């Protein structure tokens, strides 16, 4: 069976993902910045309400994946907090300035996660590394369980052939988790090309809010008028279409 991880920007979205049949949630904030670590309140409530697996993005800020000592200390503390709350996994990614995987620091984060029996995903910092195929071997050396990647392209569809090669190279040593631009309409084609076993997406939709008054003088009024949540029907269709394509 092909498994779906839903990238959830809130507890609301996480609950929709669960109801629609997702295997796992990656909880994060600020998707417009590529995702950052959600608040302790969001993580605690998600853990209390979810019966499916819960992974949490550990990314202290937007921007690049070259972290100073303070950033790194924040990441370690956030991983410990997730372990104490009872999360199933964390999602991390650190690079050197030259574009190579930071093996030592990533391994240190993996070791902390293991103290709490959590799995570790190396996130799409991987897509910014100098060489994806040598980077794959470096991530394996860190002890991570999976790599979230679009194959170094803007979307998993554009990187489909590279994803196929990464999956082949990885074998049973690590899971390649394709993500970026995947929806319920294109997942079947991606399954056929890559042979993936898991995939990742937000499957979100803009929902109007219930505010009656809007200050039209404000430049952000259009953003203020909407909320973005996971769409349950899209999740259900994606799971169905992925598994039908694999048979």
């Amino acid at each position: 069976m092909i498994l779906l991880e839903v990238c959830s920007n809130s507890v609301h979205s996480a609950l929709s993902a669960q109801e629609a049949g997702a295997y796992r949630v990656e909880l994060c904030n600020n998707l417009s910045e590529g995702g950052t670590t959600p608040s302790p309140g969001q993580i605690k409530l998600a853990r209390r309400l979810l019966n499916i697996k819960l992974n949490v993005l550990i990314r202290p800020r937007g921007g690049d994946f070259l972290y100073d000592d303070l950033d790194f200390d924040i990441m370690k503390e956030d991983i410990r907090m997730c372990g104490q709350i009872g999360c199933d996994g964390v999602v991390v990614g650190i690079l050197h300035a030259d574009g190579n995987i930071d093996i030592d620091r990533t391994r240190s984060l993996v070791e902390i996660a293991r103290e709490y029996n959590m799995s570790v995903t190396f996130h799409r910092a991987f897509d910014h590394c100098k060489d994806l195929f040598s980077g794959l071997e470096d991530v394996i050396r860190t002890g991570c369980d999976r790599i979230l990647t679009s194959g170094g392209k803007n979307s998993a569809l554009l990187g489909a052939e590279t994803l196929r090669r990464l999956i082949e190279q990885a074998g049973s040593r690590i899971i390649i988790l394709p993500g970026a631009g995947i929806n319920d309409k294109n997942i079947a084609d991606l399954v056929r090309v890559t042979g993936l076993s898991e995939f990742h997406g937000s499957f979100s939709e803009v929902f109007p809010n219930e505010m009656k008054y809007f200050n039209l003088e404000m430049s952000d009024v259009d953003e203020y008028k909407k909320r973005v949540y996971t769409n349950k029907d899209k999740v259900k269709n994606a799971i169905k279409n992925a598994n039908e394509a694999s048979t």
Side-chain angles (χ1 to χ4, degrees), residues 85-105:
I85 290 171
C87 297
D88 297 289
V90 290
V91 183
V92 306
I94 308 178
L95 300 179
H96 288 298
D98 64 2
N100 287 312
I101 304 294
D102 188 331
I103 296 173
D104 291 339
R105 277 188 160 184

Side-chain angles (χ1 to χ4, degrees), residues 5 33 36 51 54 62 107 115 124 126 128 139 146 148 159 173 195 201 210 219 234 236:
E5 172 183 276
E33 292 188 67
T36 56
N51 300 314
L54 170 63
R107 185 183 287 132
E115 294 174 13
R124 289 190 63 211
F126 180 79
H128 294 270
V139 175
R146 67 181 58 81
L148 172 61
R173 297 180 297 161
E210 298 176 3
S219 62
K234 291 181 180 180
K236 289 177 183 176

Side-chain angles (χ1 to χ4, degrees), residues 93-240:
I94 308 178
L95 300 179
H96 288 298
D98 64 2
N100 287 312
I101 304 294
D102 188 331
I103 296 173
D104 291 339
R105 277 188 160 184
T106 303
R107 185 183 287 132
S108 295
L109 299 183
V110 171
E111 289 171 354
I112 295 171
R114 296 295 189 240
E115 294 174 13
Y116 300 91
N117 297 314
M118 291 191 292
S119 69
V120 183
T121 300
F122 195 98
H123 59 52
R124 289 190 63 211
F126 180 79
D127 289 319
H128 294 270
C129 75
K130 184 184 297 184
D131 184 288
L132 297 185
F133 299 99
S134 63
L136 169 59
E137 299 302 325
D138 288 341
V139 175
I140 289 172
R141 292 185 187 97
T142 70
C144 286
D145 300 285
R146 67 181 58 81
I147 300 173
L148 172 61
T149 174
S150 61
K153 303 294 184 181
N154 286 329
S155 74
L157 268 293
L158 291 174
E161 177 58 25
T162 300
L163 288 167
R164 184 195 65 75
R165 292 172 60 198
L166 288 168
I167 289 169
E168 182 179 320
Q169 179 179 330
S172 60
R173 297 180 297 161
I174 195 168
I175 296 167
I176 300 298
L177 176 65
I182 298 176
N183 58 48
D184 55 328
K185 304 295 191 300
N186 61 30
I187 182 58
D189 288 338
L190 192 64
V191 169
R192 295 186 189 104
V193 172
T194 65
L196 60 83
S197 60
E198 300 185 4
F199 66 107
H200 167 105
S202 63
F203 303 94
S204 57
E205 183 175 323
V206 175
F207 292 85
N209 67 26
E210 298 176 3
M211 289 295 298
K212 307 253 185 244
Y213 169 77
F214 300 98
N215 182 356
L216 300 180
E217 298 300 318
M218 295 295 292
S219 62
D220 63 350
V221 66
D222 288 337
E223 292 299 314
Y224 184 68
K225 288 180 179 180
K226 63 188 182 185
R227 303 174 185 176
V228 179
Y229 293 134
T230 293
N231 181 294
K232 288 182 281 190
D233 290 335
K234 291 181 180 180
V235 171
K236 289 177 183 176
N237 287 335
I239 295 169
K240 174 178 175 288

Side-chain angles (χ1 to χ4, degrees), residues 26-117:
E26 182 203 11
L27 188 67
C28 59
N29 268 355
N30 299 317
L31 285 180
S32 60
E33 292 188 67
T36 56
T37 304
S39 72
Q42 288 253 22
I43 300 169
K44 289 178 182 177
L45 198 57
R47 180 66 292 168
R48 190 183 310 159
L49 297 176
L50 292 176
N51 300 314
I52 61 175
K53 290 186 180 295
L54 170 63
N55 287 2
V56 176
L57 177 62
I58 305 298
R59 188 178 179 219
R61 55 165 175 78
D64 62 40
F65 304 103
L66 179 66
Y67 297 112
D68 62 21
D69 289 342
L70 181 57
D71 290 329
F72 188 52
D73 286 342
I74 292 169
M75 295 168 82
K76 289 187 285 187
E77 289 303 312
D78 281 339
I79 290 173
R80 292 187 181 100
M81 177 193 66
C82 289
Q84 292 160 3
I85 290 171
C87 297
D88 297 289
V90 290
V91 183
V92 306
I94 308 178
L95 300 179
H96 288 298
D98 64 2
N100 287 312
I101 304 294
D102 188 331
I103 296 173
D104 291 339
R105 277 188 160 184
T106 303
R107 185 183 287 132
S108 295
L109 299 183
V110 171
E111 289 171 354
I112 295 171
R114 296 295 189 240
E115 294 174 13
Y116 300 91
N117 297 314

